[in-house]
Amino acid sequence: MSTATPTPTRTPHGDLPPADGHGTANRVGSGLFDPQQLLKSLPDALRKLDPRVMVRSPVMFVVLVGSVVTTVLALTDPTDWFGWAITAWLWLTTVFANLAEAVAEGRGKAQADTLRKAKTGTIARRVIGPDEERVAGTDLRIGDLVVCEAGDTIPGDGDVVEGVASVDESAITGESAPVIRESGGDRSAVTGGTKVLSDRVVIRITTKPGETFIDRMINLVEGASRQKTPNEIALNILLASLTVVFLLAVVTLKPFAIYAGADDQTSLIVLAALLVCLIPTTIGALLSAIGIAGMDRLVQRNVLAMSGRAVEAAGDVSTLLLDKTGTITLGNRQAAEFLAVEGVTESVLADAAQLSSLADETPEGRSIVVLAKETYGLRERTQGELTGAAWVEFTAQTRMSGVDLDGRKVRKGATGSVVAWVRERGGSVSEDAQELTDRIAQAGGTPLLVAVEDADGARVLGVVHLKDVVKEGMRERFAELRRMGIRTVMITGDNPLTAKAIAEEAGVDDFLAEATPEDKMALIKREQAGGKLVAMTGDGTNDAPALAQADVGVAMNTGTSAAKEAGNMVDLDSNPTKLIEIVEIGKQLLITRGALTTFSIANDVAKYFAIIPAMFAVAYPSLDRLNIMGLTSPESAILSAVIFNALVIVALVPLALRGVRYRPASADRMLRRNLGVYGLGGIVAPFIGIKIIDLLLSLLPGIG
């Protein structure tokens, strides 16, 4: 049986809001250099100069130490303009690095402020036996039952255990259209801070005060709970190692300079400046901002990542498990045609199909009534105007609907159920009926049999073809994923024939038919055993084990609390196709980090060859041949490099926050592109930038 739940209707036409449309996160300013945001972030950047904070980034901690050392040395000689200039730019380098992180965090705090408005002190109606008592929402505990009626604010996270209600979740999703929450099934979870618009429900509280969904959202978007990911830790170790290597290289310059008689060119201020220019300060300054911005981009699309690890894992995913219903297909199957058996006209079949569907309130049943009206001109009848009719409503148990009218019984439903109904009444099923059902199933459709029992006995009149429509553009998107090296697997409760037809039409790589929770778990474990990272979506309690097992588990906000607890991401829009965007954002995060790391290291190499020849050209005139930029003087070379080193951080902040543009490609092709654009750019940019700054400095008195 399929575990997919149709995506909730959010607009009059049943369309989902755009991925970056109406969410809370998108109503805050997201400008990269919003002056107000910069001013708000500056105090945070200055507070981050605390050594206890800076030590978390080894590279920037070295810059801070260098800034302190040059400040002390400059104070010993207040007339040394060069020492003061170096000191000022080293401090600016440190502040710029902190500002990049503060701006990224500041955008999250703006989103958190919006979410805090949804947190209001509420009074809950707690159920105590047959009575109710009014208590503060903060006094509720796990397992408490509370009653909410129209106009009430839901006091805490929980599951509806009784009733059905329309709920306004705009405080979370930003979407003004209400959603339905009901007991049982996969749409029972409610969130504290949302508002009941109609009816009455009883809710079982599932979280402690201060640990609600909104509390977790606030902490995560503020960055308070953001831990370094394994990749970040590994990269920090690499950067620290490079820093040690360059530190040793710079320290050895002092004895060489003394031996060469160029001791005046290698003062401690010069060595400190040289060290800061050579260590990978660019990526060290932007590393945290890149990670925070990656989570921020998810929030802008109304996806809440429970950890940075989940975002990174999304970028490394190699297998995607996607529900068919609502993800690959539109979700609601529609009646496409009536196929009558031999000896029965299509108009007779259409009339019987419409009659038997009047008591079927499912989307499929409604579509049959509409098709009969539009194709065969049959007026849509109502149950009220057919006097004496005994209606048989559609249920999941019988899988049939129908009507008993004027001595005739008409039934419509799943093939197995209708065949059993006919045979129980002594009737038989013709061979062409079986051929029609097989043909529809092989074409990817769903066959429904229509049967009648009258004076001539029980018999099948024909088949209704229900078609599951594949969403437009899905084949192209799956082709993009294939180019990225990602294998797509469609999960469905349909029979293998139907599943195969839909899989071929959609262009997925594989499918899992008649899937059970155990089947999903087994598939995920098989993929992981082969060294692959797996992502999947889910919304029901029966999806929770697979969501927990998957490397990236995206739970729908409309789903149960168990599903949201098991996943490491929650899609507030409950749009299953968002998983494809999540993978792209994860890859963009990894590509951005890799691109800026490449640029930073190439940058350092270029600065080394730009500065060293200028520094030692006095002692070793032959080195002047390597001074290809023709820098004015050693002082100008060093100061130009320090200024460039600070300004390049500012220049790259927008790229770190926005992310490098992602294009589906193989790993080899992306590597070549990174080396060509950011590696070569990292080598060329310092030569151009340092030369321009040197020319400007040469215009100042005392430097030429």
Side-chain angles (χ1 to χ4, degrees):
M1 187 175 70
S2 174
T3 58
T5 300
T7 304
T9 300
R10 294 288 181 96
T11 71
H13 302 290
D15 297 326
L16 281 162
D20 57 352
H22 307 292
T24 301
N26 299 300
R27 291 197 295 268
V28 300
S30 59
L32 297 176
F33 277 124
D34 181 2
Q36 292 185 349
Q37 185 66 62
L38 286 174
L39 289 175
K40 289 180 181 178
S41 302
L42 186 57
D44 288 335
L46 296 176
R47 280 192 289 270
K48 289 178 180 292
L49 293 175
D50 185 340
R52 292 169 297 182
V53 177
M54 296 292 295
V55 76
R56 298 172 189 168
S57 174
V59 175
M60 298 316 300
F61 181 72
V62 170
V63 178
L64 177 66
V65 172
S67 304
V68 173
V69 169
T70 56
T71 302
V72 173
L73 294 174
L75 288 172
T76 61
D77 186 3
T79 62
D80 182 11
W81 67 267
F82 177 74
W84 282 111
I86 293 294
T87 298
W89 281 102
L90 290 186
W91 279 112
L92 283 174
T93 302
T94 311
V95 172
F96 289 159
N98 289 343
L99 190 61
E101 184 175 358
V103 167
E105 290 178 350
R107 295 165 73 186
K109 289 178 181 178
Q111 295 158 5
D113 290 340
T114 305
L115 291 170
R116 280 197 181 91
K117 295 176 182 177
K119 285 195 64 180
T120 56
T122 57
I123 300 299
R125 295 162 54 189
R126 183 164 58 186
V127 177
I128 303 293
D131 303 319
E132 296 177 7
E133 65 172 353
R134 292 186 174 273
V135 298
T138 54
D139 293 337
L140 294 174
R141 295 294 178 264
I142 295 176
D144 285 350
L145 297 178
V146 296
V147 176
C148 289
E149 295 180 322
D152 291 344
T153 298
I154 296 174
D157 294 356
D159 290 320
V160 176
V161 295
E162 180 183 320
V164 57
S166 177
V167 179
D168 176 11
E169 293 189 341
S170 58
I172 298 175
T173 65
E175 177 59 42
S176 58
V179 294
I180 300 300
R181 292 289 179 264
E182 57 189 345
S183 60
D186 296 338
R187 290 187 291 177
S188 61
V190 291
T191 305
T194 58
K195 190 175 183 179
V196 177
L197 298 179
S198 67
D199 302 299
R200 176 184 183 275
V201 288
V202 178
I203 300 167
R204 177 180 288 112
I205 299 299
T206 58
T207 57
K208 299 177 182 178
E211 298 179 3
T212 65
F213 190 62
I214 288 184
D215 288 317
R216 290 159 64 194
M217 287 179 69
I218 291 171
N219 288 334
L220 287 163
V221 298
E222 280 186 327
S225 300
R226 200 189 85 86
Q227 302 296 320
K228 288 187 182 296
T229 64
N231 281 346
E232 276 186 278
I233 294 172
L235 186 53
N236 265 316
I237 294 172
L238 173 63
L239 298 181
S241 302
L242 290 174
T243 300
V244 171
V245 170
F246 280 116
L247 178 62
L248 294 175
V250 170
V251 168
T252 58
L253 289 178
K254 188 66 175 177
F256 279 119
I258 294 173
Y259 176 79
D263 188 32
D264 56 336
Q265 301 293 326
T266 55
S267 64
L268 287 179
I269 289 180
V270 171
L271 293 178
L274 180 61
L275 176 62
V276 169
C277 288
L278 297 184
I279 62 176
T281 50
T282 306
I283 185 61
L286 299 175
L287 187 57
S288 293
I290 293 169
I292 296 170
M295 296 183 71
D296 178 64
R297 283 193 291 276
L298 280 178
V299 173
Q300 289 179 26
R301 288 162 176 81
N302 271 1
V303 177
L304 178 64
M306 301 304 179
S307 68
R309 183 190 295 262
V311 185
E312 282 192 356
D316 282 331
V317 159
S318 50
T319 303
L320 249 64
L321 307 186
L322 299 160
D323 266 336
K324 182 201 74 170
T325 307
T327 304
I328 295 172
T329 64
L330 293 176
N332 295 329
R333 294 168 296 178
Q334 302 291 310
E337 58 181 334
F338 298 114
L339 301 173
V341 299
E342 186 177 352
V344 179
T345 64
E346 288 187 358
S347 59
V348 170
L349 171 62
D351 180 71
Q354 187 187 63
L355 271 176
S356 61
S357 299
L358 293 177
D360 183 359
E361 295 298 329
T362 64
E364 293 87 348
R366 295 293 87 205
S367 72
I368 292 173
V369 173
V370 172
L371 179 64
K373 176 184 176 181
E374 293 179 348
T375 306
Y376 296 97
L378 297 176
R379 183 177 61 85
E380 184 177 347
R381 293 156 286 189
T382 62
Q383 297 182 31
E385 68 184 78
L386 297 176
T387 57
W391 299 99
V392 179
E393 295 184 358
F394 178 86
T395 67
Q397 288 74 31
T398 63
R399 301 175 68 194
M400 287 193 306
S401 65
V403 61
D404 298 342
L405 179 66
D406 298 332
R408 187 172 64 143
K409 296 181 179 180
V410 184
R411 295 293 185 271
K412 175 238 31 182
T415 302
S417 300
V418 174
V419 167
W421 183 83
V422 170
R423 288 175 176 168
E424 283 174 3
R425 284 153 180 77
S428 61
V429 180
S430 60
E431 291 184 3
D432 56 341
Q434 185 63 48
E435 291 175 0
L436 289 172
T437 57
D438 290 344
R439 191 176 77 194
I440 291 171
Q442 290 171 0
T446 301
L448 295 180
L449 288 183
V450 179
V452 64
E453 182 186 20
D454 53 18
D456 296 328
R459 62 193 182 279
V460 172
L461 298 178
V463 185
V464 179
H465 180 186
L466 293 181
K467 192 172 183 181
D468 210 349
V469 181
V470 174
K471 290 181 179 179
E472 186 177 355
M474 292 305 294
R475 174 173 283 276
E476 290 74 16
R477 298 198 75 175
F478 289 137
E480 285 186 9
L481 291 170
R482 198 171 296 111
R483 287 196 295 271
M484 294 155 49
I486 296 176
R487 176 171 170 264
T488 52
V489 181
M490 181 185 77
I491 299 177
T492 178
D494 290 339
N495 62 68
L497 286 176
T498 301
K500 181 180 179 182
I502 293 292
E504 289 177 351
E505 183 180 354
V508 296
D509 298 310
D510 201 354
F511 65 90
L512 180 65
E514 299 176 343
T516 65
E518 292 77 14
D519 293 334
K520 296 178 187 179
M521 281 284 288
L523 175 59
I524 293 172
K525 289 181 178 179
R526 283 200 304 272
E527 293 291 318
Q528 291 173 333
K532 299 176 181 177
L533 296 186
V534 181
M536 76 161 287
T537 61
D539 55 6
T541 300
N542 58 350
D543 289 327
L547 286 171
Q549 179 68 35
D551 300 284
V552 180
V554 183
M556 302 296 101
N557 189 45
T558 56
T560 61
S561 296
K564 290 194 282 190
E565 288 293 330
N568 49 24
M569 291 188 187
V570 177
D571 177 17
L572 303 180
D573 289 331
S574 300
N575 177 4
T577 59
K578 195 87 65 76
L579 181 58
I580 298 174
E581 293 181 49
I582 291 170
V583 170
E584 292 176 349
I585 291 172
K587 286 191 173 293
Q588 186 185 38
L589 169 66
L590 296 178
I591 290 170
T592 301
R593 186 184 295 155
L596 292 184
T597 301
T598 303
F599 182 90
S600 181
I601 295 175
N603 217 10
D604 297 332
V605 174
K607 283 183 287 187
Y608 185 88
F609 285 103
I611 298 171
I612 297 297
M615 285 180 58
F616 287 91
V618 176
Y620 298 102
S622 58
L623 285 179
D624 196 49
R625 296 176 184 175
L626 297 178
N627 185 13
I628 57 177
M629 288 187 290
L631 299 179
T632 306
S633 65
E635 291 82 2
S636 177
I638 295 169
L639 185 55
S640 298
V642 170
I643 294 173
F644 175 83
N645 195 61
L647 294 181
V648 77
I649 293 173
V650 179
L652 291 176
V653 167
L655 184 62
L657 297 184
R658 186 180 60 248
V660 174
R661 184 180 177 185
Y662 170 69
R663 298 183 183 90
S666 64
D668 291 343
R669 187 175 176 184
M670 284 191 288
L671 177 61
R672 289 195 299 269
R673 178 173 171 267
N674 268 3
L675 291 176
V677 175
Y678 297 97
L680 184 60
I683 292 175
V684 172
F687 286 97
I688 297 174
I690 291 173
K691 180 58 180 178
I692 292 173
I693 296 171
D694 176 71
L695 290 174
L696 294 175
L697 289 178
S698 66
L699 301 177
L700 299 176
I703 297 185

